[in-house]
Amino acid sequence: MKEVLVLGANGQLGQTIKDFSDIELVRFHFFSRKDLDITDSNSLNEVFKDSGFDYCVNCAAYTNVEGAETHTEAAFSINAEGAKNIAEVCKTYQVKLIHISTDYVFDGNKEKPYATTDATNPINQYGKSKLQGELYIKAQLKAYYIIRTSWLYSLHGKNFLKTIIDKVESGVSLNITTEENGTPTSCVDLAAFILHIIKTDSVPYGVYNFSARESTTWYGFAKEIVKNLSPEKSGLISPTKSFKTLAKRPKFSVLNLDKTEEFYKELNTWQESVRLMVSSYKS
Ligand SMILES: NC(=O)c1ccc[n+]([C@@H]2O[C@H](COP(=O)([O-])OP(=O)(O)OC[C@H]3O[C@@H](n4cnc5c(N)ncnc54)[C@H](OP(=O)(O)O)[C@@H]3O)[C@@H](O)[C@H]2O)c1
């Protein structure tokens, strides 16, 4: 039996992993922030000691990109120091770490999808704090997977897809930016990749990109959600160029999936994954 600890279990990715956790020969242990705060290394040590975990999946993070500009200390405490604390206990107790990172480690000045080997250069505090977390993990561990993903959505928690569904169902008109290019990623798809790593034990350690195939803008993403939800309401979504935010966002953060595809063949297009998510919302 493989023993797997999931941290940040009440977030959207953590909850999605829980939805799919009934798997033969794998036993999951879910810890929310209330159960275990990753900034508290003593508590981490208590949980890891004598636990016999094989894997730790870190879904815990400070994910408010706008908030990180003003609550920068909190973002670094969780995304950088928290990741460092986890790497330390994983090293002490020989637990393999699966850590989730972000496309926002890149500056967005490239015009072709970012490979895992491309230079990082985050342009906002969230991205900087996540990159620092990556660096701490790499400095401590050999047995790690850092999975950079983008534009996560699910039916849990707060995310773009749920916001669009709520607004459109209430008949609210929305102006959505066409200024950023990236790839919406279903938490269901990412959870399946994480489970693949755990079940097969055959994916080499290192940094991976994970998203759906192909790319779009937030406007394109919103249109696709509404097309699947209630196409007669697609007039509620309009494109806009100006969208004022505190945090700078990379204009282009599409991820190159070549390395991931060497070990994982199940990637959907983003449109197919949106279709599946909206259909599960409707059913
Ligand atoms: N969301 C995206 O679009 C996106 C894109 C790229 C990468 N990612 C990365 O993907 C991962 C999963 O993101 P997500 O969307 O599932 O995030 P999420 O829904 O915001 O969940 C994050 C979870 O972490 C918990 N948490 C925060 N501080 C903690 C602490 N000190 N100790 C333990 N738990 C703590 C939060 O608890 P509370 O709610 O109680 O604070 C929350 O349940 C993160 O690493 C994120 O950086 C996300």
Side-chain angles (χ1 to χ4, degrees):
M1 183 68 84
K2 284 178 198 159
E3 305 289 341
V4 180
L5 171 66
V6 179
L7 298 170
N10 272 359
Q12 57 165 339
L13 179 59
Q15 290 190 64
T16 307
I17 295 174
K18 205 178 280 175
D19 294 340
F20 294 94
S21 62
D22 188 9
I23 295 171
E24 263 183 36
L25 303 178
V26 184
R27 181 162 41 221
F28 285 89
H29 305 262
F30 292 98
F31 282 68
S32 69
R33 181 182 201 154
K34 176 167 62 59
D35 307 317
L36 181 54
D37 185 325
I38 64 167
T39 63
D40 178 352
S41 42
N42 290 333
S43 300
L44 274 168
N45 202 63
E46 280 305 307
V47 168
F48 273 70
K49 193 174 63 177
D50 308 323
S51 66
F53 296 138
D54 298 290
Y55 284 90
C56 168
V57 184
N58 180 29
C59 304
Y62 184 102
T63 56
N64 181 344
V65 176
E66 286 293 281
E69 295 299 306
T70 46
H71 298 88
T72 307
E73 215 174 291
F76 273 80
S77 160
I78 297 165
N79 294 343
E81 299 303 319
K84 184 183 185 191
N85 294 338
I86 294 169
E88 276 166 1
V89 281
C90 282
K91 187 174 183 183
T92 305
Y93 298 103
Q94 294 179 8
V95 179
K96 295 168 214 160
L97 175 58
I98 301 177
H99 175 80
I100 313 304
S101 192
T102 173
D103 54 336
Y104 280 19
V105 297
F106 298 115
D107 59 21
N109 293 334
K110 210 181 158 193
E111 284 164 4
K112 283 206 306 204
Y114 282 95
T116 54
T117 47
D118 279 332
T120 51
N121 183 31
I123 56 172
N124 58 38
Q125 297 299 340
Y126 167 74
K128 287 178 185 175
S129 66
K130 292 292 291 183
L131 177 61
Q132 189 57 54
E134 288 191 7
L135 295 173
Y136 282 143
I137 289 167
K138 289 177 182 170
Q140 291 277 345
L141 293 176
K142 286 199 172 62
Y144 70 80
Y145 299 92
I146 290 173
I147 304 175
R148 293 178 181 149
T149 190
S150 60
W151 301 18
L152 280 185
Y153 64 90
S154 70
L155 299 182
H156 296 293
K158 263 177 75 175
N159 60 70
F160 184 84
L161 175 130
K162 283 185 67 184
T163 303
I164 296 295
I165 291 177
D166 284 353
K167 299 280 186 198
V168 165
E169 288 192 333
S170 324
V172 177
S173 296
L174 297 164
N175 295 322
I176 312 279
T177 182
T178 53
E179 289 294 272
E180 292 161 45
N181 281 277
T183 308
T185 303
S186 159
C187 284
V188 172
D189 294 348
L190 176 54
F193 179 55
I194 293 169
L195 297 178
H196 172 81
I197 292 174
I198 295 169
K199 281 189 294 190
T200 61
D201 267 329
S202 65
V203 179
Y205 299 130
V207 180
Y208 289 84
N209 288 335
F210 189 90
S211 70
R213 292 180 202 277
E214 302 175 8
S215 63
T216 185
T217 62
W218 290 103
Y219 168 72
F221 184 15
K223 283 293 249 192
E224 194 69 22
I225 295 165
V226 181
K227 182 178 114 187
N228 286 282
L229 182 72
S230 29
E232 71 286 0
K233 293 191 175 166
S234 68
L236 290 173
I237 308 288
S238 308
T240 180
K241 281 198 166 195
S242 63
F243 181 64
K244 289 266 168 294
T245 56
L246 207 53
K248 283 196 219 160
R249 317 245 167 177
K251 276 196 178 318
F252 180 92
S253 62
V254 182
L255 299 170
N256 176 320
L257 301 169
D258 290 354
K259 180 178 172 190
T260 303
E261 285 183 284
E262 281 178 45
F263 306 100
Y264 190 69
K265 307 288 178 210
E266 320 289 320
L267 297 176
N268 283 335
T269 62
W270 68 268
Q271 295 94 327
E272 175 62 3
S273 292
V274 168
R275 189 186 68 73
L276 291 170
M277 190 67 76
V278 175
S279 116
S280 87
Y281 168 77
K282 284 167 132 180
S283 62

